[in-house]
Amino acid sequence: MIRTATPDDIPLIHTLVRELAEYEKEPQEARATEAQLHEALFGERPAAYAHIAVDDATGVPVGFSVWFLNFSTWRGVHGIYLEDLYVRPEARGGGHGKALLRELARICVERGYERLEWSVLNWNAPSIAFYEAMGARPQDEWTVYRLTDGALTALGS
């Protein structure tokens, strides 16, 4: 079962974000606080949205997705950028990740969005295989660039 996250889910989302950071071998980078997540997801002007995957048999949350809208000047419409998708190891293989992606694809189709995009680490072979099995294809003609910390401050000052 996939449901839209509520403010009561913030501690869970915070925990799952930290678990994802551990899985991706970057725990020190997961610095968001519960207050920041609450503001981003449920503040006056939400910047992102979240869904929770719940095990049908137990009712226990086992994963989540966090996403936001992007915009294609070429297509002239919004799309969804999937920031995070994570299913706890003990629940993998149960269809939760696919259900989370299916929900986002459903939202795209329903709203006329023409793209559902995300990034995956090059070493994450299980996730790459999972995504490609659903028909997703890598956009290897593009390289992601990022400014953070001192470089961002220097450029923005």
Side-chain angles (χ1 to χ4, degrees):
M1 178 181 79
I2 304 302
R3 64 175 175 77
T4 302
T6 69
D8 290 341
D9 290 315
I10 290 298
L12 170 67
I13 292 169
H14 187 255
T15 297
L16 293 171
V17 166
R18 299 206 47 85
E19 289 179 23
L20 174 60
E22 287 282 340
Y23 175 76
E24 292 185 349
K25 303 173 184 151
E26 294 282 347
Q28 72 283 356
E29 293 299 318
R31 297 180 276 190
T33 65
E34 288 186 17
Q36 288 172 313
L37 291 171
H38 186 277
E39 181 63 25
L41 295 169
F42 303 106
E44 186 175 315
R45 295 179 63 190
Y49 308 91
H51 286 89
I52 305 296
V54 178
D55 184 276
D56 289 335
T58 65
V60 174
V62 295
F64 80 118
S65 64
V66 172
W67 57 278
F68 55 89
L69 295 179
N70 57 18
F71 183 79
S72 170
T73 56
W74 289 16
R75 299 275 179 121
V77 296
H78 284 291
I80 286 178
Y81 187 85
L82 174 60
E83 180 64 23
D84 288 335
L85 184 141
Y86 177 73
V87 175
R88 287 182 161 151
E90 64 273 14
R92 292 183 188 150
H96 306 292
K98 187 172 186 178
L100 285 163
L101 282 173
R102 183 179 287 124
E103 176 62 10
L104 296 184
R106 185 196 65 74
I107 291 168
C108 286
V109 170
E110 178 182 275
R111 297 180 186 178
Y113 303 161
E114 295 189 14
R115 290 182 178 163
L116 172 55
E117 298 178 312
W118 61 92
S119 297
V120 61
L121 291 164
N122 292 333
W123 59 259
N124 194 346
S127 292
I128 292 168
F130 169 71
Y131 297 139
E132 288 184 355
M134 286 186 289
R137 295 294 170 251
Q139 300 296 298
D140 31 6
E141 67 272 10
W142 295 90
T143 299
V144 175
Y145 281 83
R146 178 179 293 157
L147 280 171
T148 61
D149 303 324
L152 179 62
T153 302
L155 184 61
S157 297

